């Protein structure tokens, strides 16, 4: 019997199971113990594990991140939760200058096993300061790990892995992915860093989707199939360390790469993936590349502009079409009903 | 004693804000406002009491809970509603939304969705005013939640050091979302904390618009006369609605209706209504209703921004 | 008569001239008015313009950055100075969430003309937290401009330009560049964004050097000349907006691109430049690319590791040699005496 | 009254720190130490007074001005000097340098070159101790400069809220680099600021090692007995040397030798020397000199890290 859970419940289950097995796991952040319980991801944990292990905090992102580091140094495994990734800007000093560097600058005498859960917002007027996908900042800095699971199965496995990991892990969620449902085994399992997953095979183009954009890539694939373009869709899952081999292998086959990020492109994850693939395949295989992401602007809340701000299945399909055919073809598929709601449900 | 005319001003402003937000709550379920609205219903007295002590060239900075002080300071209602609807004629051309209302012409200098962030902006603005030898003052509005953030204390320290013409207004409604101040601070001692910076601080504990106005006016006069630096008011008040959205939330259990009751009973809109003549009241209400109706029609009719706006205003060139 | 100034004095002169001409320019930051005067870059300004326009601040990076924004909103042109770029991590919320976004999220009603001067440290055990080049963070975020002048002439012109600019500009200095001397005209002039400079022409490879690494690239070019490899050396000057055309034009000629950054490569400026060049030239010109930057580690203070951490003229020359010849050739030029001290002195 | 044995302990620790730093200053011009050294000469009494009140399993966090408390808490001298020389046998394998001394085995948990950053780390560590039902305590050392940073106040707030077993030690030497506290704060009222968080605070104004030790010991006992939460000491003290580097800096003009004089006259190294018997003193000094000489020889002889260390310790796998 397949066990179907939502992304939210998968996170809750992962946390619950790790807390049950390891008394050093603690969960905190603004509102983790309030009636909304971080979209339900922390529901019931305070009751089960008590207010010392699960607690709401003051609005003090910098100090609470610093405190998480201190807890980790003392042998705990803190999970610090932020309902928007944008708020991490208040904690960059602790994340970049302390968490990322402690193991190295203390010559390996210490390590910092902490998880920073943070959510990318989208739509309903989230606007400028509640919508950013800033994962490339954390990919840039040695000493941090970054993961952005796109489905409930990975949400659980990556969180378990992140909690067990002895380094600071930035765990990137997306508010829209929270609604996803999918197969999630009951037992504990980890999704190890450095292994991307080929979700759909295809010979014509390699589509890499990050966070919520993976879903759009899967939808784009359906549009492309109707015109006989077959996309191979890859979910990198872990962004740092990044499994470039799987992507390179695919591009070696298809000769075409389109990376779609849930963030800006300049100095973003898409630039990195493109560059690594080129570095690996130059002189060996001719490839064409394309990257997509947020428009180079601040996120506008009004729907008329927000629609243009994000890549979507149709604009991705359109760009891939150009990549395959060459030139600018101005092909844009008609909106298809079923695809709006499409969810990738596994099994893996 | 204040004059009838002033009561009428206050009532007009209070009533207008209350009714605008009630209308927003009414429209909200239609999904025409695709914006996370943080209503000030119950808290209007702070915005009105403070802003009625200011001149047009004084400047306020605030938070995502922005409707009340935006309107109280003279912000354009049509542009505000258009902004909530995401229309091109909105005060930020639809690029700000409910959480980033601005009306520079009326001294509403902006709002932020990240708690605490406009406090240092307000301090910097006050520094500029002093340097420019102006006698305007700055008001920084923020919630009790912002007093958890380090930047608040850094800002107090600098404002005190430079004796800047700024008034800090903490709208203490006891909660940051669903978390009570006493779950975030060992003691509820905001004024004590601020005084330790050498900044005079005063708590006004009953949402009394007349008291708020009178006390703020006194401080504004001092600041304009370059007598004294920053001042801090902790205005206790109460949010009647949920943190974000148009509904009540007493069923969630994080606070009780009992707790709310005294605040609802002390409603300043009702109080001011009773202080003015019935015919004045009727006239004011009719005018305000008419204005709101027109603004809603406008907001509904106006166009969304054109595609080329997506990449406009990112930088100046 | 050529007028020779140090990089430090060029900055000081630019500031002085702009302050003299525009009373809205103010300068502040930790220690700007102390006996060391930020390496001398603010020497004499407090005396000349008074303590209201030139002042030291408390150690409050977040609030002082926020205050700079507020001043800019009120019509001033603040220059906020940090003796290390690493400290900007304390101000990321104001820089990323407020400064970068204000113009857009207020629909153009306001703008934020501020300059953030910050220095990259190197050597003498600067180590983990005093050596970072984090300019790619600011390139990533729409609404910010980024400039990294590499010589006194540009130091002056870019600072004047940055002060006049109506957007927030991150002005990146490098402590070692401070010692550079070069031709600096006395009059005021701006170096406008979006124009890279070809410093040396060459047919075999395009070398792009960022910040202090530009100097290393110029030195590498000398090593390469001895083996008859001719490198075209480009200084992008402004990183955002970035003049990719000049680089593309060069790579079109040379077919080879090596970008050397003064920062990490992952999601860095080097990834961005490589990707943009590929995007532009694919299908048109076959190219090979290479990027170099900090080793993917935290900066170690001990000289034995620090030497390996940074690219230098010889390792750059070696990498370029491989790029030109293909494969791994293990060629490393002998250290040459004169090159250690080489400075690029203009004229432009 | 304390016993002679304790005076001897204190003197040994004080003398050792003073002499180590004098040796560092002596060696520095040889460029063998390519590390920005921030000497504590003149301030040793704070580190020694505090750390002598602690157990080995208590933990301290500090700043780049780290030599004194590192040694006072039991940190390994050889590993420290090797670290300054950038050697593979340094306490951080040469990857930390002078600003990032650590000796986890002796409860020295790290130091930061970014002002204020270890304060919340110390608070988090204290939270863990409480959760783990240990009776160790944490000490957070920082300078007056750190009290400008917002994170200090956020940390105080959380430590007070959770009543954590932590002692905050502000080494107030009046200056952040060359800028006096009174150019950064309106009033020098650090204890007042801290008390406003519900944290007891006390100023010790004369660098008196015995007083510091006695007062800290008292608080440590309370914390171990789970009576009371955080405590704050403002220890006035004075840096004799320049901010960074081995030299004097009175010629710079930002402070006068007059100002320094009382502190130099109240030197705690000399004071303690006078409290113990001459032959004990000689024995201690001889031993310490021998230890330092050996440690320097070691540091000079040891190898630099191998190339493969460059990419080791970035992450755990
Ligand atoms: C820095 C930051 N942390 C967390 C949040 C999430 N958040 C949004 S509103 C809010 C509560 C703020 O409470 P308060 O300042 O008292 O204002 P109120 O909503 O009561 O008016 C929180 C925690 C945020 N927006 N910004
Ligand atoms: C966040 C931050 N801002 C600025 C600096 C530059 N800086 C290094 S030491 C220092 C002074 C700190 O003074 P204090 O905390 O009193 O310590 P002291 O040096 O007096 O021991 C400053 C400003 C820094 N290292 N970190
Ligand atoms: Mg509140
Ligand atoms: Mg000091």
């Amino acid at each position: 019997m397949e066990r179907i859970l939502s992304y939210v419940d998968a996170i809750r289950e992962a946390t619950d199971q790790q807390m049950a097995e390891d008394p050093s796991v603690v969960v905190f952040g603004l509102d983790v113990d309030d009636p909304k319980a971080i979209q339900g991801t922390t529901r019931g944990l305070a009751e089960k594990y008590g207010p010392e292990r699960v607690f709401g905090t003051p609005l003090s992102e910098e100090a609470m991140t610093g405190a998480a580091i201190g807890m980790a140094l003392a042998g705990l495994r803190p999970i610090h939760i932020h309902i928007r990734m944008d708020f991490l800007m208040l904690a960059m000093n602790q994340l970049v200058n302390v968490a990322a560097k402690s193991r190295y600058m203390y010559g390996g005498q210490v390590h910092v096993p902490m998880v920073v859960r943070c959510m990318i917002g989208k739509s309903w007027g989230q606007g400028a300061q509640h919508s950013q996908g800033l994962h490339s900042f954390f990919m840039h800095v040695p000493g941090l790990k970054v993961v952005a699971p796109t489905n409930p199965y990975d949400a659980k496995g990556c969180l378990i892995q992140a909690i067990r990991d002895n380094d600071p892990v930035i765990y990137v969620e997306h508010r829209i992915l929270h609604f996803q449902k999918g197969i999630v085994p009951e037992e504990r399992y980890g999704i190890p860093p450095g292994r991307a997953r080929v979700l759909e095979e295809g010979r014509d183009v390699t589509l890499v989707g990050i966070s919520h954009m993976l879903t759009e890539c899967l939808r784009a694939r359906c549009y492309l199939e109707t015109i006989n373009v077959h996309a191979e869709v890859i979910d990198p899952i872990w962004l740092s360390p990044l499994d470039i081999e799987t992507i390179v292998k695919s591009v070696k086959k298809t000769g075409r790469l389109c990376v779609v990020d849930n963030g800006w492109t300049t100095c973003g994850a898409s630039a990195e993936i493109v560059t690594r693939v080129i570095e690996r395949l130059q002189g060996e295989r001719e490839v064409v590349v394309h990257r997509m992401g947020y428009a180079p602007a601040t996120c506008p809340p009004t729907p008329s502009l927000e629609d243009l701000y994000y890549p979507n299945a149709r604009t991705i399909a359109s760009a891939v079409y150009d990549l395959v055919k060459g030139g600018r073809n101005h092909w844009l598929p008609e909106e298809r009903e079923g695809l709006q709601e499409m969810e990738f449900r596994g099994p893996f | 004693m204040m004059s009838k005319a002033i009561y009428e001003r206050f009532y007009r402003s209070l009533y207008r804000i209350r009714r605008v937000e009630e209308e927003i709550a009414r429209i909200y379920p239609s999904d025409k406002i695709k914006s996370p609205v943080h209503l000030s219903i119950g808290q209007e007295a702070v915005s009105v009491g403070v802003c009625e002590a200011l001149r047009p060239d004084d400047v306020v900075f605030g938070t995502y809970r922005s409707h009340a002080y935006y309107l109280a300071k003279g912000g354009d209602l049509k542009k505000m509603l258009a902004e909530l609807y995401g229309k091109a004629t909105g005060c930020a051309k639809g690029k700000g939304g409910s959480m980033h209302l601005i009306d520079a012409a009326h001294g509403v200098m902006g709002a932020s969705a990240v708690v605490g962030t406009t406090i240092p902006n307000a301090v910097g603005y006050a520094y500029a005013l002093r340097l420019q030898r102006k006698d305007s003052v700055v008001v920084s509005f923020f919630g009790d939640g912002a007093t958890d953030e380090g930047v608040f204390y850094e800002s107090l320290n600098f404002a005190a050091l430079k004796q800047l013409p700024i008034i800090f207004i903490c709208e203490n409604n006891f909660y940051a979302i669903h978390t009570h101040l006493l779950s975030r601070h060992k003691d509820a001692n905001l004024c004590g904390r601020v005084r330790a910076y050498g900044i005079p601080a005063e708590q006004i504990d009953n949402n009394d618009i007349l008291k708020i106005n009178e006390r703020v006016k006194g401080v504004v006069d001092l600041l304009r006369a370059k007598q004294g630096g920053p001042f801090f008011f902790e205005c206790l008040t109460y949010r009647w609605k949920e943190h974000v959205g148009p509904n009540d939330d007493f069923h969630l259990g994080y606070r009780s209706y009992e707790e709310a009751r005294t605040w609802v009973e002390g409603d300043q809109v009702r109080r001011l209504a009773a202080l003015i003549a019935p015919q004045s009241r009727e006239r004011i209400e009719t005018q305000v209703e008419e204005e709101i109706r027109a603004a809603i029609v406008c907001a509904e009719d106006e166009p969304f921004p054109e595609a080329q706006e997506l990449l406009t205003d990112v930088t100046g060139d």
Side-chain angles (χ1 to χ4, degrees), chain A, chain B:
Chain A
M1 252 293 287
E2 289 175 343
R3 192 166 163 273
I4 303 289
L5 286 191
S6 70
Y7 193 108
V8 160
D9 288 334
I11 289 179
R12 213 202 59 77
E13 183 168 276
T15 315
D16 188 11
Q17 291 179 343
Q18 287 306 110
M19 292 193 82
E21 117 123 5
D22 181 352
S24 68
V25 179
V26 295
V27 174
F28 60 92
L30 278 165
D31 310 318
V32 303
D33 55 356
D34 86 350
K36 300 266 167 99
I38 316 288
Q39 314 289 109
T41 58
T42 55
R43 176 97 55 221
L45 298 176
E47 294 75 3
K48 190 161 170 189
Y49 299 103
E52 266 188 295
R53 288 184 64 196
V54 182
F55 56 97
T57 68
L59 288 79
S60 305
E61 285 79 3
E62 169 87 346
M64 294 315 305
T65 304
I69 294 168
M71 292 179 206
L73 291 173
L76 299 187
R77 294 188 173 271
I79 305 174
H80 187 195
I81 308 179
H82 303 262
I83 56 166
R84 285 294 179 289
M85 193 169 198
D86 315 68
F87 305 157
L88 293 186
M89 292 306 95
L90 284 158
M92 286 301 273
N93 182 52
Q94 289 292 333
L95 292 172
V96 171
N97 285 334
V98 187
K101 295 177 170 45
S102 288
R103 184 191 280 271
Y104 194 91
M105 78 182 176
Y106 297 131
Q109 271 207 44
V110 300
H111 55 271
V112 182
M114 64 189 270
V115 180
V116 179
R117 278 184 52 199
C118 54
M119 280 149 236
I120 302 175
K122 181 176 175 180
S123 85
W124 210 268
Q126 299 292 299
Q129 299 171 329
H130 274 49
S131 61
Q132 292 170 93
L134 297 166
H135 36 281
S136 73
F137 284 6
F138 306 106
M139 296 170 68
H140 186 57
V141 180
L144 298 175
K145 290 176 177 160
V146 186
V147 64
T150 64
N151 58 62
Y153 178 86
D154 287 340
K156 177 172 175 180
C158 291
L159 186 52
I160 288 175
Q161 188 78 27
I163 297 169
R164 290 174 179 162
D165 197 280
N166 280 333
D167 292 308
V169 178
I170 313 292
Y171 180 97
V172 182
E173 305 167 33
H174 192 292
R175 284 290 288 261
I176 290 182
L177 290 174
H178 275 168
F179 302 119
Q180 291 251 0
K181 288 201 162 72
I183 295 169
V184 178
E186 189 158 4
E187 75 267 15
R188 291 189 300 131
Y189 56 91
I191 305 284
R195 254 185 268 162
R197 188 183 292 118
V198 179
L199 289 177
E200 300 280 354
E201 305 209 344
R203 57 164 195 250
D204 297 320
V205 62
T206 303
L207 255 180
V208 178
I210 293 174
S211 184
H212 175 50
M213 282 300 146
L214 193 266
T215 321
E216 297 295 339
C217 286
L218 288 169
R219 290 174 188 149
R221 186 177 186 276
C222 299
Y223 284 118
L224 289 165
E225 254 176 354
T226 64
I227 52 162
N228 215 20
V229 171
H230 300 283
E232 183 144 308
V233 180
I234 297 180
D235 182 350
I237 312 175
W238 287 83
L239 298 174
S240 184
L242 177 69
D243 172 13
I244 200 67
E245 293 313 316
T246 299
I247 299 171
V248 165
K249 198 173 143 212
S250 171
V251 181
K252 212 156 153 180
K253 177 174 71 178
T254 63
R256 301 184 187 94
L257 170 65
C258 178
V259 184
V260 191
D261 194 5
N262 213 105
W264 291 299
T265 58
T266 300
C267 297
S270 59
E272 182 61 26
I273 292 172
V274 163
T275 304
R276 286 209 203 170
V277 168
I278 294 288
E279 285 171 338
R280 285 292 310 282
L281 291 181
Q282 61 190 357
E284 186 179 342
R285 169 74 157 108
E286 215 179 304
V287 302
V288 286
V289 299
H290 187 66
R291 55 180 171 161
M292 300 178 77
Y294 295 175
T298 294
C299 180
T302 182
S304 77
L305 298 181
E306 203 193 37
D307 280 353
L308 303 170
Y309 181 73
Y310 293 105
N312 62 48
R314 293 165 64 231
T315 58
I316 296 167
S318 174
V320 167
Y321 185 89
D322 289 346
L323 206 57
V324 172
K325 304 289 172 188
R328 296 282 221 124
N329 304 280
H330 304 286
W331 174 76
L332 188 72
E334 287 293 309
E335 182 97 47
R336 238 168 71 190
E337 267 310 305
L339 288 188
Q340 259 333 76
E341 323 279 282
M342 205 184 96
E343 289 161 3
F344 189 77
R345 294 170 140 249
F348 298 97
Chain B
M1 256 296 291
M2 287 173 173
S3 73
K4 281 278 166 208
I6 287 183
Y7 289 156
E8 287 178 15
R9 270 187 72 90
F10 287 12
Y11 181 64
R12 175 186 296 274
S13 185
L14 283 173
Y15 179 80
R16 183 163 170 261
I17 295 167
R18 173 70 55 87
R19 287 290 302 124
V20 167
E21 289 206 317
E22 284 173 351
E23 285 302 292
I24 290 170
R26 185 185 60 76
I27 296 165
Y28 205 73
S30 72
D31 287 0
K32 286 179 191 162
I33 298 174
K34 285 202 180 56
S35 202
V37 293
H38 300 78
L39 302 181
S40 296
I41 292 177
Q43 306 190 185
E44 303 91 340
V46 182
S47 290
V48 177
V50 171
C51 292
E52 287 292 338
L54 301 179
R55 289 194 318 222
D57 62 326
D58 295 326
V59 156
V60 302
F61 285 82
T63 76
Y64 50 87
R65 197 174 303 288
S66 56
H67 306 161
Y69 74 83
Y70 173 95
L71 291 171
K73 184 63 176 65
D76 188 302
L77 174 62
K78 280 193 182 158
K79 289 186 183 166
M80 168 183 154
L81 284 178
E83 189 61 33
L84 266 59
Y85 276 77
K87 298 302 180 70
T89 50
C91 57
K93 300 198 219 164
K95 296 174 176 185
S98 160
M99 299 194 287
H100 305 292
L101 297 184
I102 188 167
D103 191 333
H106 295 94
V108 182
M109 276 311 295
S112 174
V114 184
V115 171
T117 44
T118 61
I119 301 173
N121 305 152
V123 167
Y125 204 104
Y127 188 90
L129 290 178
R130 175 72 34 110
L131 185 69
Q132 293 158 340
R133 307 285 178 259
K134 296 188 179 159
D135 73 345
S136 320
V137 305
V138 176
V139 168
S140 170
F141 285 105
F142 48 88
D144 50 294
T147 70
D148 302 7
E149 294 281 0
V151 73
F152 171 54
Y153 301 94
E154 293 183 354
S155 301
L156 289 179
N157 184 53
F158 185 72
L161 180 68
K162 299 293 181 186
Q163 289 293 294
L164 300 179
I166 183 167
I167 303 174
F168 298 101
I169 304 283
C170 177
E171 295 192 60
N172 182 357
N173 61 10
F174 306 101
Y175 293 92
I177 308 188
H178 310 119
T179 306
H180 197 277
L181 182 61
L182 285 174
S183 303
R184 298 179 282 117
H185 293 200
K186 177 166 175 281
D187 315 304
N189 180 27
L190 298 184
C191 286
R193 290 189 180 187
V194 174
R195 279 187 206 112
Y197 288 80
I199 297 178
E202 180 176 334
Q203 189 190 62
I204 300 176
D205 66 0
N206 58 358
N207 208 26
D208 178 343
I209 183 172
L210 302 182
K211 174 115 182 260
I212 293 170
N213 180 256
E214 183 203 313
R215 293 295 302 119
V216 172
K217 223 196 312 256
V219 171
V220 167
D221 289 343
L222 287 178
L223 293 185
R224 284 209 213 292
K226 317 261 186 280
Q227 287 165 15
F231 207 98
F232 175 85
F233 287 101
E234 178 190 7
C235 298
L236 299 191
T237 186
Y238 206 77
R239 159 171 62 75
W240 295 6
K241 296 286 178 185
E242 59 189 338
H243 167 70
V244 55
N247 303 307
D248 291 341
D249 71 353
F250 294 99
H251 65 282
L252 287 181
Y254 73 97
R255 60 177 189 170
S256 67
Y257 189 74
E258 273 323 295
E259 183 184 89
R261 192 185 307 277
T262 46
W263 297 97
V264 174
E265 282 166 1
D267 181 17
Q268 298 293 302
V269 183
R270 252 209 347 258
R271 175 185 175 205
L272 267 283
L275 287 177
I276 62 178
Q279 56 286 39
S280 310
R281 179 176 168 183
E282 209 185 297
R283 179 177 34 83
I284 289 169
E285 292 178 2
T286 313
Q287 287 169 350
V288 166
E289 295 297 339
E290 190 38 52
E291 184 197 4
I292 296 174
R293 202 163 17 244
I296 293 171
V297 170
C298 245
E300 305 226 333
D301 287 353
E302 273 149 358
F304 284 104
E306 302 285 344
Q308 92 256 6
E309 276 294 328
L310 179 65
L311 299 181
T312 313
D313 300 324
V314 179
T315 56
D317 35 45

